[in-house]
Amino acid sequence: MTTTVPAPTVTLSADDARRIALRAQGLLGAPDRRAGVRGMLRHLGAVQLDTISVLARSHELVPYARLGAVGRDAVETAYWGSGAAFEYWSHAACVLPIEEWPHFAFRRRARRARGHRWHVMEDADRSCAAVLDRLEAEGPLTSTELGGAKNGGPWWDWSETKIAVEWLLDTGDVVCAQRRGWKRVYDLAERAVPDALLHDDLDDRECLRRLVALAGQSLGVATRTDLADYHRLRNEQVDLVVADSGLVPVAVEGWGKAAWADPAALEIAPRGRHRTTLLSPFDSLVWDRARTERVFGFTHRLEAYVPKPKRVHGYFAMPLLAGGRLLGRVDPGREGRTLIARHASLETPKAVQPMAAALLEAAQWVGCEEVRVERVTPAELAAPLTAAVAEASAAI
């Protein structure tokens, strides 16, 4: 049952809400370069991980979008080399600030209560004990080092050891606080999590209250479904705690749904420099497709798992953010030292110059020396985009 929402005391225009959302996501105003990637992670609350790597992996593209050409080593160190973060199930598999470990106790308890993942172990007690003994004796290890991740069949045909260590990760006995060659490195929670944080003392309600409050801060202004989606809660879990979260009810023109805002986001009108950049499809600004349509009037779908003949925009089409709006998308690729715009889809002719600038900046960040445009929609913008890319390149 949906909680009765108090009448909003503030009404926001759709543009107000859009700007508040951009600022909350670190994409409006001067970036906090002193805080760097760690500060960005704390600000966002979660950075989604994904195996796809085109220009870079998604967790690298997220700080790039906000901070510019941050060094890739700095990104990895901020996430996994400093004890400042851990990997767990949030919006999906995400990097999370280590300070939030206690607030996922509700999810660890739920996993324990379920008793198994989608894989079931032949001898859970023996297999888990063997993993814990190895980690205790040898320190952090990958699943390969623990004995192998697969039985030799398809990718989902996990070994007993892999099932055990992932179960221990789900339930909090083991932590992934590092990746090595994109493989999870597992360690005992008692070693990886600071003593002050290593507890499941918070009850479910307090965990949920904190995560709803964090989602509100990270989104700026959000509907009930937005708040739930950020850390993959259920709507009824949001209903249980939203009144105690510190978020305030607001009305947003055109949304047609109850909404809540971070009170700090309402104190000062959002203004400042807009970032022009390409976004990962897994960026938290756009990972919720329904919210992206509502806030930006922009429909976007990841087509990586769509059969190639049925793709409209491309395998890993990255939305173009410019002037606080989503103006198009591009499916990028690389050939040697050339960044290729395999398919640039532009919503308006005003997207030509920003797309050229974003392509060139991305090329420089990944070490490419030139940009080649292969296909543009609509076709009449192909020549202007190619010319704009050439002009921008010549200006460097």
Side-chain angles (χ1 to χ4, degrees):
M1 182 179 296
T2 303
T3 299
T4 300
V5 181
T9 57
V10 175
T11 297
L12 302 171
S13 70
D15 279 344
D16 289 336
R18 177 179 54 80
R19 285 189 286 265
I20 287 172
L22 286 164
R23 183 176 62 184
Q25 281 285 301
L27 290 160
L28 172 61
D32 187 353
R33 299 192 185 281
R34 292 185 64 183
V37 179
R38 289 186 203 174
M40 179 218 70
L41 176 60
R42 287 192 297 270
H43 187 80
L44 295 181
V47 171
Q48 186 173 340
L49 297 162
D50 194 81
T51 58
I52 297 174
S53 181
V54 179
L55 295 183
R57 293 197 190 274
S58 185
H59 68 278
E60 299 173 288
L61 294 168
V62 171
Y64 163 73
R66 288 152 179 82
L67 302 173
V70 60
R72 298 170 88 170
D73 288 343
V75 173
E76 300 300 310
T77 299
Y79 290 152
W80 291 306
S82 60
F86 71 106
E87 182 181 329
Y88 197 61
W89 304 106
S90 168
H91 183 81
C94 289
V95 182
L96 303 164
I98 195 67
E99 295 87 352
E100 303 310 325
W101 171 271
H103 303 111
F104 285 86
F106 83 102
R107 189 157 283 163
R108 293 190 287 271
R109 282 191 289 264
R111 297 294 172 97
R112 290 187 204 111
R114 181 183 177 190
H116 63 85
R117 314 180 103 233
W118 52 90
H119 297 91
V120 177
M121 287 175 272
E122 296 175 5
D123 187 337
D125 290 343
R126 178 187 61 79
S127 299
C128 290
V131 168
L132 293 171
D133 287 346
R134 287 282 308 277
L135 294 176
E136 173 68 30
E138 300 176 41
L141 297 169
T142 66
S143 56
T144 300
E145 292 165 339
L146 281 165
K150 297 180 181 179
N151 282 327
W155 67 266
W156 61 84
D157 185 22
W158 285 4
S159 69
E160 180 87 350
T161 298
K162 174 68 172 176
I163 299 170
V165 75
E166 287 291 325
W167 169 249
L168 292 167
L169 179 76
D170 283 356
T171 57
D173 295 290
V174 162
V175 177
C176 174
Q178 181 184 2
R179 287 233 177 190
R180 188 189 306 147
W182 195 241
K183 292 182 179 180
R184 284 177 174 159
V185 180
Y186 304 93
D187 198 2
L188 298 176
E190 61 199 58
R191 278 200 300 246
V193 181
D195 290 344
L197 300 174
L198 185 61
H199 64 80
D200 281 3
D201 296 346
L202 301 181
D203 63 23
D204 284 12
R205 187 184 183 98
E206 177 56 23
C207 291
L208 295 170
R209 188 202 65 78
R210 168 64 174 170
L211 292 179
V212 168
L214 280 176
Q217 293 170 24
S218 301
L219 293 168
V221 58
T223 67
R224 169 197 192 217
T225 305
D226 297 341
L227 293 171
D229 183 74
Y230 204 81
H231 292 291
R232 290 286 200 254
L233 307 178
R234 298 191 304 273
N235 283 342
E236 55 267 30
Q237 290 176 315
V238 174
D239 291 341
L240 181 68
V241 299
V242 69
D244 301 320
S245 67
L247 303 177
V248 297
V250 297
V252 180
E253 294 175 354
W255 280 21
K257 297 182 178 182
W260 287 263
D262 174 15
L266 301 177
E267 291 178 0
I268 302 174
R271 57 175 58 92
R273 182 181 67 87
H274 282 290
R275 183 92 169 97
T276 296
T277 191
L278 300 178
L279 298 169
S280 164
F282 303 109
D283 192 294
S284 50
L285 183 72
V286 295
W287 66 19
D288 183 336
R289 308 312 186 202
R291 175 178 168 86
T292 301
E293 291 184 27
R294 185 184 342 112
V295 175
F296 294 99
F298 186 83
T299 301
H300 187 69
R301 301 288 184 270
L302 177 68
E303 297 181 323
Y305 306 109
V306 174
K308 188 173 181 179
K310 295 184 178 181
R311 291 175 192 156
V312 177
H313 298 291
Y315 174 78
F316 195 72
M318 300 178 67
L320 168 69
L321 177 68
R325 300 184 182 277
L326 298 175
L327 299 181
R329 71 211 89 201
V330 63
D331 184 33
R334 293 176 66 179
E335 288 183 3
R337 304 299 293 275
T338 300
L339 186 152
I340 305 168
R342 299 194 188 282
H343 185 190
S345 306
L346 308 181
E347 301 282 298
T348 168
K350 293 180 180 178
V352 168
Q353 293 297 332
M355 179 64 83
L359 286 169
L360 196 63
E361 184 184 69
Q364 292 174 306
W365 178 54
V366 298
C368 289
E369 296 175 347
E370 62 179 318
V371 174
R372 185 172 80 241
V373 178
E374 286 190 342
R375 179 185 172 199
V376 179
T377 302
E380 59 266 25
L381 296 181
L385 180 58
T386 301
V389 167
E391 182 179 353
S393 299
I396 297 178

mmCIF file of all heavy atoms in Angstrom, residues 15-47:
data_model
loop_
_atom_site.group_PDB
_atom_site.id
_atom_site.type_symbol
_atom_site.label_atom_id
_atom_site.label_comp_id
_atom_site.label_asym_id
_atom_site.label_seq_id
_atom_site.Cartn_x
_atom_site.Cartn_y
_atom_site.Cartn_z
ATOM 1 N N ASP A 15 12.285 22.315 -15.846
ATOM 2 C CA ASP A 15 13.676 22.743 -16.010
ATOM 3 C C ASP A 15 14.393 22.839 -14.677
ATOM 4 O O ASP A 15 15.583 22.496 -14.568
ATOM 5 C CB ASP A 15 13.741 24.082 -16.739
ATOM 6 C CG ASP A 15 13.601 23.938 -18.250
ATOM 7 O OD1 ASP A 15 13.760 22.801 -18.747
ATOM 8 O OD2 ASP A 15 13.338 24.944 -18.921
ATOM 9 N N ASP A 16 13.691 23.320 -13.636
ATOM 10 C CA ASP A 16 14.287 23.340 -12.302
ATOM 11 C C ASP A 16 14.693 21.935 -11.881
ATOM 12 O O ASP A 16 15.809 21.709 -11.386
ATOM 13 C CB ASP A 16 13.289 23.874 -11.262
ATOM 14 C CG ASP A 16 13.026 25.365 -11.383
ATOM 15 O OD1 ASP A 16 13.888 26.077 -11.927
ATOM 16 O OD2 ASP A 16 11.948 25.803 -10.929
ATOM 17 N N ALA A 17 13.794 20.996 -12.071
ATOM 18 C CA ALA A 17 14.068 19.611 -11.675
ATOM 19 C C ALA A 17 15.239 19.036 -12.463
ATOM 20 O O ALA A 17 16.083 18.328 -11.903
ATOM 21 C CB ALA A 17 12.817 18.755 -11.872
ATOM 22 N N ARG A 18 15.281 19.337 -13.750
ATOM 23 C CA ARG A 18 16.388 18.838 -14.582
ATOM 24 C C ARG A 18 17.718 19.387 -14.084
ATOM 25 O O ARG A 18 18.707 18.641 -13.953
ATOM 26 C CB ARG A 18 16.143 19.239 -16.042
ATOM 27 C CG ARG A 18 17.246 18.850 -17.006
ATOM 28 C CD ARG A 18 16.888 19.261 -18.425
ATOM 29 N NE ARG A 18 16.541 20.665 -18.533
ATOM 30 C CZ ARG A 18 17.432 21.656 -18.596
ATOM 31 N NH1 ARG A 18 18.736 21.393 -18.569
ATOM 32 N NH2 ARG A 18 17.027 22.910 -18.696
ATOM 33 N N ARG A 19 17.776 20.682 -13.787
ATOM 34 C CA ARG A 19 19.033 21.273 -13.322
ATOM 35 C C ARG A 19 19.420 20.746 -11.935
ATOM 36 O O ARG A 19 20.602 20.514 -11.665
ATOM 37 C CB ARG A 19 18.923 22.794 -13.314
ATOM 38 C CG ARG A 19 19.000 23.415 -14.715
ATOM 39 C CD ARG A 19 19.100 24.926 -14.647
ATOM 40 N NE ARG A 19 17.826 25.532 -14.274
ATOM 41 C CZ ARG A 19 16.938 25.991 -15.161
ATOM 42 N NH1 ARG A 19 17.178 25.882 -16.458
ATOM 43 N NH2 ARG A 19 15.810 26.540 -14.754
ATOM 44 N N ILE A 20 18.438 20.563 -11.079
ATOM 45 C CA ILE A 20 18.729 19.993 -9.760
ATOM 46 C C ILE A 20 19.305 18.589 -9.916
ATOM 47 O O ILE A 20 20.267 18.207 -9.227
ATOM 48 C CB ILE A 20 17.451 19.982 -8.888
ATOM 49 C CG1 ILE A 20 17.117 21.408 -8.439
ATOM 50 C CG2 ILE A 20 17.622 19.072 -7.679
ATOM 51 C CD1 ILE A 20 15.776 21.517 -7.732
ATOM 52 N N ALA A 21 18.730 17.810 -10.828
ATOM 53 C CA ALA A 21 19.225 16.455 -11.064
ATOM 54 C C ALA A 21 20.652 16.472 -11.593
ATOM 55 O O ALA A 21 21.499 15.670 -11.170
ATOM 56 C CB ALA A 21 18.303 15.733 -12.040
ATOM 57 N N LEU A 22 20.937 17.369 -12.502
ATOM 58 C CA LEU A 22 22.295 17.468 -13.054
ATOM 59 C C LEU A 22 23.294 17.850 -11.971
ATOM 60 O O LEU A 22 24.394 17.281 -11.893
ATOM 61 C CB LEU A 22 22.323 18.496 -14.185
ATOM 62 C CG LEU A 22 21.675 18.061 -15.498
ATOM 63 C CD1 LEU A 22 21.413 19.269 -16.385
ATOM 64 C CD2 LEU A 22 22.573 17.053 -16.227
ATOM 65 N N ARG A 23 22.940 18.827 -11.136
ATOM 66 C CA ARG A 23 23.871 19.224 -10.079
ATOM 67 C C ARG A 23 24.077 18.085 -9.085
ATOM 68 O O ARG A 23 25.208 17.823 -8.648
ATOM 69 C CB ARG A 23 23.356 20.459 -9.360
ATOM 70 C CG ARG A 23 24.326 20.977 -8.286
ATOM 71 C CD ARG A 23 23.834 22.254 -7.658
ATOM 72 N NE ARG A 23 22.557 22.066 -6.965
ATOM 73 C CZ ARG A 23 21.877 23.060 -6.392
ATOM 74 N NH1 ARG A 23 22.350 24.304 -6.452
ATOM 75 N NH2 ARG A 23 20.730 22.816 -5.791
ATOM 76 N N ALA A 24 23.002 17.389 -8.723
ATOM 77 C CA ALA A 24 23.118 16.283 -7.779
ATOM 78 C C ALA A 24 24.023 15.187 -8.308
ATOM 79 O O ALA A 24 24.701 14.496 -7.538
ATOM 80 C CB ALA A 24 21.730 15.720 -7.474
ATOM 81 N N GLN A 25 24.067 15.055 -9.622
ATOM 82 C CA GLN A 25 24.901 14.031 -10.238
ATOM 83 C C GLN A 25 26.303 14.529 -10.588
ATOM 84 O O GLN A 25 27.084 13.813 -11.215
ATOM 85 C CB GLN A 25 24.214 13.502 -11.495
ATOM 86 C CG GLN A 25 23.104 12.506 -11.203
ATOM 87 C CD GLN A 25 23.642 11.157 -10.801
ATOM 88 O OE1 GLN A 25 24.372 10.511 -11.552
ATOM 89 N NE2 GLN A 25 23.313 10.719 -9.595
ATOM 90 N N GLY A 26 26.626 15.753 -10.186
ATOM 91 C CA GLY A 26 27.978 16.258 -10.416
ATOM 92 C C GLY A 26 28.243 16.701 -11.834
ATOM 93 O O GLY A 26 29.401 16.753 -12.263
ATOM 94 N N LEU A 27 27.184 17.053 -12.580
ATOM 95 C CA LEU A 27 27.335 17.422 -13.985
ATOM 96 C C LEU A 27 26.899 18.854 -14.272
ATOM 97 O O LEU A 27 26.776 19.258 -15.414
ATOM 98 C CB LEU A 27 26.557 16.436 -14.858
ATOM 99 C CG LEU A 27 27.178 15.032 -14.892
ATOM 100 C CD1 LEU A 27 26.167 13.985 -15.327
ATOM 101 C CD2 LEU A 27 28.398 15.006 -15.799
ATOM 102 N N LEU A 28 26.695 19.622 -13.217
ATOM 103 C CA LEU A 28 26.413 21.051 -13.334
ATOM 104 C C LEU A 28 27.179 21.753 -12.233
ATOM 105 O O LEU A 28 27.070 21.388 -11.060
ATOM 106 C CB LEU A 28 24.918 21.331 -13.191
ATOM 107 C CG LEU A 28 24.494 22.808 -13.108
ATOM 108 C CD1 LEU A 28 24.895 23.554 -14.379
ATOM 109 C CD2 LEU A 28 22.993 22.921 -12.879
ATOM 110 N N GLY A 29 27.970 22.751 -12.617
ATOM 111 C CA GLY A 29 28.820 23.439 -11.654
ATOM 112 C C GLY A 29 30.246 22.922 -11.725
ATOM 113 O O GLY A 29 30.539 21.921 -12.382
ATOM 114 N N ALA A 30 31.142 23.593 -11.052
ATOM 115 C CA ALA A 30 32.555 23.221 -11.088
ATOM 116 C C ALA A 30 32.770 21.883 -10.392
ATOM 117 O O ALA A 30 32.276 21.669 -9.286
ATOM 118 C CB ALA A 30 33.401 24.303 -10.401
ATOM 119 N N PRO A 31 33.503 20.964 -11.022
ATOM 120 C CA PRO A 31 33.758 19.675 -10.376
ATOM 121 C C PRO A 31 34.704 19.828 -9.195
ATOM 122 O O PRO A 31 35.554 20.720 -9.168
ATOM 123 C CB PRO A 31 34.412 18.846 -11.495
ATOM 124 C CG PRO A 31 35.030 19.856 -12.407
ATOM 125 C CD PRO A 31 34.136 21.064 -12.349
ATOM 126 N N ASP A 32 34.536 18.980 -8.212
ATOM 127 C CA ASP A 32 35.401 19.001 -7.028
ATOM 128 C C ASP A 32 36.648 18.171 -7.322
ATOM 129 O O ASP A 32 36.721 16.983 -6.987
ATOM 130 C CB ASP A 32 34.645 18.446 -5.819
ATOM 131 C CG ASP A 32 35.425 18.607 -4.517
ATOM 132 O OD1 ASP A 32 36.598 19.019 -4.585
ATOM 133 O OD2 ASP A 32 34.867 18.323 -3.460
ATOM 134 N N ARG A 33 37.617 18.809 -7.950
ATOM 135 C CA ARG A 33 38.809 18.073 -8.357
ATOM 136 C C ARG A 33 39.681 17.681 -7.162
ATOM 137 O O ARG A 33 40.414 16.691 -7.213
ATOM 138 C CB ARG A 33 39.623 18.900 -9.360
ATOM 139 C CG ARG A 33 38.833 19.199 -10.626
ATOM 140 C CD ARG A 33 39.721 19.752 -11.723
ATOM 141 N NE ARG A 33 38.923 20.141 -12.876
ATOM 142 C CZ ARG A 33 38.444 19.296 -13.784
ATOM 143 N NH1 ARG A 33 38.678 18.001 -13.644
ATOM 144 N NH2 ARG A 33 37.720 19.735 -14.797
ATOM 145 N N ARG A 34 39.620 18.454 -6.091
ATOM 146 C CA ARG A 34 40.425 18.107 -4.917
ATOM 147 C C ARG A 34 39.926 16.797 -4.305
ATOM 148 O O ARG A 34 40.721 15.974 -3.860
ATOM 149 C CB ARG A 34 40.360 19.224 -3.876
ATOM 150 C CG ARG A 34 41.056 20.508 -4.339
ATOM 151 C CD ARG A 34 41.067 21.542 -3.234
ATOM 152 N NE ARG A 34 41.850 21.091 -2.079
ATOM 153 C CZ ARG A 34 41.971 21.774 -0.954
ATOM 154 N NH1 ARG A 34 41.335 22.935 -0.815
ATOM 155 N NH2 ARG A 34 42.704 21.317 0.033
ATOM 156 N N ALA A 35 38.633 16.610 -4.279
ATOM 157 C CA ALA A 35 38.088 15.357 -3.752
ATOM 158 C C ALA A 35 38.306 14.205 -4.724
ATOM 159 O O ALA A 35 38.392 13.045 -4.317
ATOM 160 C CB ALA A 35 36.601 15.519 -3.459
ATOM 161 N N GLY A 36 38.394 14.523 -6.014
ATOM 162 C CA GLY A 36 38.726 13.531 -7.022
ATOM 163 C C GLY A 36 37.704 12.422 -7.151
ATOM 164 O O GLY A 36 36.515 12.593 -6.896
ATOM 165 N N VAL A 37 38.190 11.248 -7.547
ATOM 166 C CA VAL A 37 37.303 10.120 -7.819
ATOM 167 C C VAL A 37 36.644 9.618 -6.533
ATOM 168 O O VAL A 37 35.475 9.248 -6.531
ATOM 169 C CB VAL A 37 38.066 8.984 -8.520
ATOM 170 C CG1 VAL A 37 37.142 7.795 -8.791
ATOM 171 C CG2 VAL A 37 38.676 9.483 -9.828
ATOM 172 N N ARG A 38 37.391 9.617 -5.443
ATOM 173 C CA ARG A 38 36.792 9.161 -4.178
ATOM 174 C C ARG A 38 35.635 10.071 -3.783
ATOM 175 O O ARG A 38 34.583 9.602 -3.336
ATOM 176 C CB ARG A 38 37.841 9.161 -3.066
ATOM 177 C CG ARG A 38 38.890 8.085 -3.204
ATOM 178 C CD ARG A 38 39.784 8.072 -1.984
ATOM 179 N NE ARG A 38 41.062 7.465 -2.281
ATOM 180 C CZ ARG A 38 42.086 7.417 -1.444
ATOM 181 N NH1 ARG A 38 41.971 7.967 -0.246
ATOM 182 N NH2 ARG A 38 43.218 6.838 -1.778
ATOM 183 N N GLY A 39 35.829 11.373 -3.918
ATOM 184 C CA GLY A 39 34.761 12.313 -3.604
ATOM 185 C C GLY A 39 33.565 12.123 -4.511
ATOM 186 O O GLY A 39 32.417 12.208 -4.075
ATOM 187 N N MET A 40 33.838 11.851 -5.787
ATOM 188 C CA MET A 40 32.744 11.605 -6.737
ATOM 189 C C MET A 40 31.955 10.362 -6.338
ATOM 190 O O MET A 40 30.723 10.348 -6.374
ATOM 191 C CB MET A 40 33.323 11.432 -8.140
ATOM 192 C CG MET A 40 32.281 11.159 -9.215
ATOM 193 S SD MET A 40 32.860 9.965 -10.459
ATOM 194 C CE MET A 40 32.879 8.433 -9.506
ATOM 195 N N LEU A 41 32.667 9.313 -5.914
ATOM 196 C CA LEU A 41 31.996 8.080 -5.503
ATOM 197 C C LEU A 41 31.111 8.328 -4.281
ATOM 198 O O LEU A 41 29.959 7.873 -4.237
ATOM 199 C CB LEU A 41 33.033 6.995 -5.203
ATOM 200 C CG LEU A 41 32.476 5.671 -4.672
ATOM 201 C CD1 LEU A 41 31.511 5.033 -5.669
ATOM 202 C CD2 LEU A 41 33.622 4.715 -4.342
ATOM 203 N N ARG A 42 31.627 9.057 -3.311
ATOM 204 C CA ARG A 42 30.806 9.363 -2.130
ATOM 205 C C ARG A 42 29.597 10.193 -2.523
ATOM 206 O O ARG A 42 28.500 10.029 -1.986
ATOM 207 C CB ARG A 42 31.638 10.096 -1.081
ATOM 208 C CG ARG A 42 32.647 9.223 -0.353
ATOM 209 C CD ARG A 42 33.216 9.925 0.861
ATOM 210 N NE ARG A 42 33.952 11.116 0.490
ATOM 211 C CZ ARG A 42 35.255 11.139 0.217
ATOM 212 N NH1 ARG A 42 35.959 10.013 0.255
ATOM 213 N NH2 ARG A 42 35.865 12.263 -0.110
ATOM 214 N N HIS A 43 29.786 11.098 -3.489
ATOM 215 C CA HIS A 43 28.705 11.987 -3.933
ATOM 216 C C HIS A 43 27.602 11.204 -4.642
ATOM 217 O O HIS A 43 26.415 11.415 -4.398
ATOM 218 C CB HIS A 43 29.300 13.050 -4.859
ATOM 219 C CG HIS A 43 28.346 14.128 -5.261
ATOM 220 N ND1 HIS A 43 28.035 15.187 -4.448
ATOM 221 C CD2 HIS A 43 27.618 14.294 -6.396
ATOM 222 C CE1 HIS A 43 27.161 15.973 -5.059
ATOM 223 N NE2 HIS A 43 26.892 15.455 -6.246
ATOM 224 N N LEU A 44 27.999 10.270 -5.504
ATOM 225 C CA LEU A 44 27.021 9.487 -6.253
ATOM 226 C C LEU A 44 26.444 8.345 -5.429
ATOM 227 O O LEU A 44 25.317 7.905 -5.666
ATOM 228 C CB LEU A 44 27.653 8.916 -7.529
ATOM 229 C CG LEU A 44 28.112 9.915 -8.590
ATOM 230 C CD1 LEU A 44 28.695 9.179 -9.783
ATOM 231 C CD2 LEU A 44 26.977 10.825 -9.019
ATOM 232 N N GLY A 45 27.227 7.831 -4.501
ATOM 233 C CA GLY A 45 26.761 6.736 -3.666
ATOM 234 C C GLY A 45 26.935 5.372 -4.276
ATOM 235 O O GLY A 45 26.971 4.364 -3.563
ATOM 236 N N ALA A 46 27.053 5.270 -5.602
ATOM 237 C CA ALA A 46 27.226 3.986 -6.289
ATOM 238 C C ALA A 46 27.698 4.249 -7.710
ATOM 239 O O ALA A 46 27.216 5.169 -8.365
ATOM 240 C CB ALA A 46 25.920 3.190 -6.311
ATOM 241 N N VAL A 47 28.626 3.433 -8.177
ATOM 242 C CA VAL A 47 29.072 3.467 -9.568
ATOM 243 C C VAL A 47 28.940 2.052 -10.114
ATOM 244 O O VAL A 47 29.542 1.110 -9.598
ATOM 245 C CB VAL A 47 30.526 3.962 -9.696
ATOM 246 C CG1 VAL A 47 31.031 3.781 -11.127
ATOM 247 C CG2 VAL A 47 30.636 5.418 -9.278
#
